[in-house]
Amino acid sequence: SLAAALDQLGYKTYTRDSVFYSDEHTELWTEFSRARATQDKKEFQSARAKLVSAIAEGGYNATVDCPGCVLYKDFMERWPNSKVILTTADDIEDWADSVLYSVFRLPVIWNHMPIRMWQGLRIWNTISRAVYMTLGLGPLEFHSNGIDESGAFMSPDSAYRIYEQYVEQVRKTVPPGQLLVYNVKQGWAPLCIFL
């Protein structure tokens, strides 16, 4: 994984596990989620700033995947020379097939009994929704019980759109000298040269 590669290169990488195994970070992401849901811009900015500070204070100097990826603009604002690695898929349809029946299916699974009784997963469901909304998924595109017999959380068209919007947004936002568009099949060389 990219996180393992960054760790081997000497970085301390913030991942989903960094949130899952930290009560403080779980609470901060829950606050982020509440602020995102209310659409109060001041509260949402405050929640994002608290998260960035907590990540920095935890000694992390890299982040990968969700939920941290939604804070890349905040990281760049705080550290203007930071570098961004945008991982891309070979084929968007293969990517969508993969995530729709794995990570993007979790909110459907978490919504069913007895799983939804577990407080930790209810919190993760809330965080996931806020992250997906921040990435550009509209609230009407969430299907807590699945959209059909497949149990998918969203349609393939929604997944394609999120992917394309996010890639385009990152490419437009990050200065070219600070951005590496990367596919893991490229191996170590581009990472080492870039970092």
Side-chain angles (χ1 to χ4, degrees), residues 109-119 121-122:
I109 294 167
W110 293 340
N111 195 47
H112 288 87
M113 295 293 275
I115 296 170
R116 75 172 173 206
M117 297 296 291
W118 187 36
Q119 176 69 20
L121 289 181
R122 284 202 314 265

Side-chain angles (χ1 to χ4, degrees), residues 72-73 86-88 92 135 160-174 179 181:
Y72 79 93
K73 290 179 188 176
L86 175 63
T87 54
T88 58
I92 192 170
L135 291 174
Y160 302 154
R161 186 175 52 75
I162 287 174
Y163 178 89
E164 290 169 343
Q165 282 178 347
Y166 184 73
V167 168
E168 181 181 339
Q169 179 190 72
V170 172
R171 286 180 185 222
K172 285 182 177 178
T173 304
V174 181
L179 176 65
V181 179

Side-chain angles (χ1 to χ4, degrees), residues 20 26 54 56 63 75 77 81-82 93 97 101 104 106 110 114 118 120-121 132 147 180 182 184-185 188:
F20 195 72
T26 299
T63 187
F75 294 134
E77 186 176 305
N81 296 324
S82 52
E93 290 178 10
D97 284 345
Y101 300 102
F104 281 13
L106 291 176
W110 293 340
W118 187 36
L121 289 181
Y132 296 142
I147 57 175
L180 172 64
Y182 178 71
V184 293
K185 290 182 179 178
W188 284 92

Side-chain angles (χ1 to χ4, degrees), residues 95-107 109:
W95 172 83
D97 284 345
S98 171
V99 297
L100 283 174
Y101 300 102
S102 60
V103 176
F104 281 13
R105 193 173 188 181
L106 291 176
I109 294 167

